[in-house]
Amino acid sequence: MNGRAGFTALVTIALATAIAFLTLPVLAIFLDSRPGALVSSLGEESAREALWLSLRTTALALAIILAVGTPAAYLLATRSFPGRALLLTLVELPLVLPPAVAGIALLAAVGPSGILGGALDALHIRLALETAGVVVALTFVASPFYLRQAQAAFASVDRTLLDASRTLGASEARTFLRVMIPSALPGLAAGAALALGRALGEFGATLMFAGSFQGITQTVPLAIYDRFATDFDAALALSGVLVAVSLGILVSVKLVLGAEALDGAAR
Amino acid sequence: MNDALRKCSARFEDADVRLSFAGSDELAAQIRQGIEPDVYAAANTALPEALRKEALLGKPVRFASNKLVVALPAGSRIGSIRDLARKGVTLAIGSASVPIGAYTRKALSRLPHRMSGAILANVRSNEPDVKGVVGKLTQGAVDAGFVYESDVQAARGPLRSLPLPPKLQPAVVYAAGVVKGAREPERARRYLNGLLAGGCRDALTAAGFGPPR
Amino acid sequence: MLRASARSRIGALELDASLEVAEGECLALAGPSGAGKTSVLRVVAGLLRPERGLVSCGDRIWLDTETGRDVPPEGRRCGYLFQEYALFPHLSAWQNVAYALGKGRRDDRRREACELLERFGLEQLADARPRTLSGGERQRVALARALARRPDVLLLDEPLSALDARTRASSSRELAAVLRQAQAPALLVTHDFAEAAQLGDRVAILDAGRVVQEGTPSELASVPGSAFVADFTGAVVLTGVARAGEDGLTVVDLGGGESIVSTDPGLGAVGASVHPWEITIERGGPGGVHGSALNRLAAEVTSVTQIGNRVRLGLAGAQPLAAEVTRASASGLGLSEGARVTATWKAAATRLVSL
């Protein structure tokens, strides 16, 4: 009995430590700043512009990731073809790249002096120092988070459900929309949430590739960095705003999905 | 400066020197938050002075100077400051909250109002440190940028500098001091002296930094 | 008329099977696990493309590897009942059933789906999610869903195997009724010969990808073509009407004045099964000396099949029977075609199943 109580105590302490370690820094943001600071910081034009820019670019990046990543993950999950394992590793690669390396990679590929730089220039497509460049950077670093989860979610859907759908008269496309996606939805949503979080917090690659200019390329993380040395309180306030927005998005996603699960369980 | 100091500090006989590099403002912020290195060196005199007033730093000593220049990619057709005000020219400068950005804006403020306005309107990026400005230049993302002369030298090739007319040139002075609460104040003091007249002084000169003014 | 033939290598299995099922008929495909039964169903449904094959339903050709014609599953009207039912968890019962009803106003589709559910007594559960339903209820929803499309062919994969013993009996009855009502040819797959015998008009035994014998259940049981079929077909099933008898036993009237007894409870229409090797053969009529075996039926030997050191006897009595004796006993008793014998077995060896 003593051993059992000891084990329980140990794992409880571990959990308590983990929770404290993870939540204290986040709480400190709010505890360290003056109460009105969060709201008043939103009154600053640069803060508002940074927030609006972050939200627009993240939303656009996420839209691209979902639109292109969902069918791609479906193909990866449901078909076997030579080189599939290699392809899976390749799409996961940006996951393990440090943001700085991601920035270098983007510059080398689509930067002004990059491999495709000349071609983009000829097409009058400017990415560096433009909002479009921010979207490119966010999409690059965040898409593996979604692809990985989506691929796993699709792969774990019961194949007989798909077979059943086909025998009931639904084409492959209709089966994808009416059975595959609803069945994989929790996994897809988790992947999207991860990608969203990563994009919202992206800093290094964005700075190197797109630069930092208020309203055009200075997202919230860049704005925080710009402030923290000279006006720590302003940095705290903006950090608090970002945490609040991220939390809001996370909670609403959980509520929408949770409502689904709750609805089924109650019956 | 990083490379020069790294090399000469390795030769400092009195102690093992651990160098931590970052933007001057960032390092000052760290000291304000309670982090205590033995020596703090900044790219201006304002930050060390401010820390001294806050009783966080001993009396600062000026140990080097630098020049603000306009850096251009090798094949650039820009020939003068006036060219920077032309429509379609893109620039990268430091953010207002970092020394390089402050120096740049100070220099521009000495120009006629319309010209400085036009130049600032051409700015496409406010970088958090001078490395970022240099990076945008070497990448070919902008046509010109305001950096230190020593940075052009450090880039070793791809950039050339356009010197500023003397009346625009701000005084870029580096100052350093012993941090209050340092664990090795004596050795720190000796290190500072080395910056003024010793192995490190020579290294700084070789790297393109002027004498303290 | 459903015609299907397939030759293909599927993993370690060499499938080479060919079958025909007429309108209104149910062919039960029986065999051990891994024999390829589900593969045959999948080929017919279009979920599996064999290397060589031909599938046609009436005058419509669904698969012809010679010409390259391969109609996708959604183009073949198959009502497929999957082994684990494959109900869509994110849809309610009526939505599952209505899935095949295509476009159309929601109210119309719901009404049609509920009508179908009503046939199976499930109208109360129309809005329930599959996970809240019992195994038997889910099976019926899956069946309703398969029928919703008014299929040209019915495909059933082990329809009773996922049910508990008690539900299995009532479900079997229900399924038999559905099969009788349906005009479409039905192909049913099972690993249990008794199930095949109960639900199929004909039975085809599949072993290692090949059909080893095909015929009515009693044909297969009485004249097995091989030791494999003999072992697989196991018990004999007699049908009759059960009523309570003396000493707590159940009497089953087989028709024609004959009856047997069983220690199992039972009432009404039942199937009485006994294993051939539990049947003892005596020469002569039932009037001879009695042992403890209460069941005694007169029969005439219709076939004698040697299987190793055993002999399977096909017997014609009030109903067809099959008995297994040693070769020595068979020759010792002079058992040959036409011989009049008495088949005896214990009441305790007689299993009753409600029909």
Side-chain angles (χ1 to χ4, degrees), chain A:
Chain A
M1 203 56 201
N2 209 4
R4 186 157 175 265
F7 179 69
T8 312
L10 221 70
V11 293
T12 311
I13 291 174
L15 181 62
T17 312
I19 293 180
F21 184 67
L22 291 173
T23 57
L24 190 59
V26 178
L27 281 177
I29 293 176
F30 295 94
L31 296 174
D32 212 11
S33 52
R34 287 169 298 119
L38 276 174
V39 180
S40 66
S41 77
L42 286 176
E44 270 182 57
E45 196 199 359
S46 60
R48 274 201 322 269
E49 287 205 26
L51 190 60
W52 178 226
L53 183 70
S54 270
L55 290 175
R56 322 204 289 271
T57 51
T58 301
L60 194 53
L62 199 61
I64 296 172
I65 290 172
L66 290 177
V68 179
T70 308
Y74 173 71
L75 197 67
L76 276 174
T78 56
R79 300 255 199 288
S80 69
F81 46 85
R84 179 173 169 271
L86 179 67
L87 215 61
L88 264 171
T89 313
L90 279 178
V91 302
E92 286 183 1
L93 199 57
L95 261 174
V96 297
L97 282 181
V101 177
I104 300 269
L106 283 170
L107 284 171
V110 291
S113 334
I115 299 177
L116 295 177
L120 288 172
D121 211 27
L123 293 170
H124 297 293
I125 299 178
R126 288 228 63 184
L127 293 177
L129 307 179
E130 301 288 340
T131 309
V134 178
V135 177
V136 168
L138 298 190
T139 308
F140 182 69
V141 299
S143 43
F145 287 88
Y146 179 69
L147 277 171
R148 194 121 136 310
Q149 291 285 108
Q151 193 269 134
F154 285 142
S156 67
V157 169
D158 186 356
R159 283 287 176 277
T160 59
L161 291 180
L162 308 176
D163 289 341
S165 172
R166 302 292 297 279
T167 61
L168 290 168
S171 63
E172 193 181 351
R174 205 151 156 256
T175 301
F176 175 66
L177 289 172
R178 293 191 63 190
V179 180
M180 190 54 136
I181 291 197
S183 302
L185 204 56
L188 297 181
L194 282 176
L196 180 90
R198 181 66 185 86
L200 213 53
E202 168 46 40
F203 174 80
T206 310
L207 180 60
M208 289 173 75
F209 183 65
S212 176
F213 195 79
Q214 180 178 321
I216 311 277
T217 54
Q218 193 180 69
T219 54
V220 173
L222 290 173
I224 292 172
Y225 191 67
D226 193 41
R227 279 166 177 61
F228 100 96
T230 49
D231 188 356
F232 194 71
D233 289 329
L236 269 179
L238 206 50
S239 305
V241 170
L242 192 60
V243 170
V245 170
S246 308
L247 202 63
I249 296 174
L250 215 65
V251 167
S252 24
V253 167
K254 284 219 184 283
L255 279 180
V256 167
L257 281 183
E260 273 274 307
L262 226 64
D263 177 49
R267 288 169 181 279

Side-chain angles (χ1 to χ4, degrees), chain B residues 139-210:
Chain B
Q139 277 306 310
V142 291
D143 301 319
F146 281 81
V147 300
Y148 299 118
E149 184 164 51
S150 53
D151 292 309
V152 177
Q153 187 168 326
R156 274 197 282 256
L159 301 177
R160 66 177 178 85
S161 62
L162 181 70
L164 292 179
K167 65 173 163 68
L168 295 183
Q169 180 62 239
V172 180
V173 181
Y174 294 75
V178 177
V179 178
K180 285 270 196 283
R183 272 186 295 258
E184 304 276 352
E186 269 313 301
R187 293 192 192 171
R189 179 132 295 285
R190 280 199 282 275
Y191 184 82
L192 274 187
N193 293 340
L195 289 177
L196 292 171
C200 282
R201 173 70 254 156
D202 300 330
L204 288 170
T205 313
F209 291 88

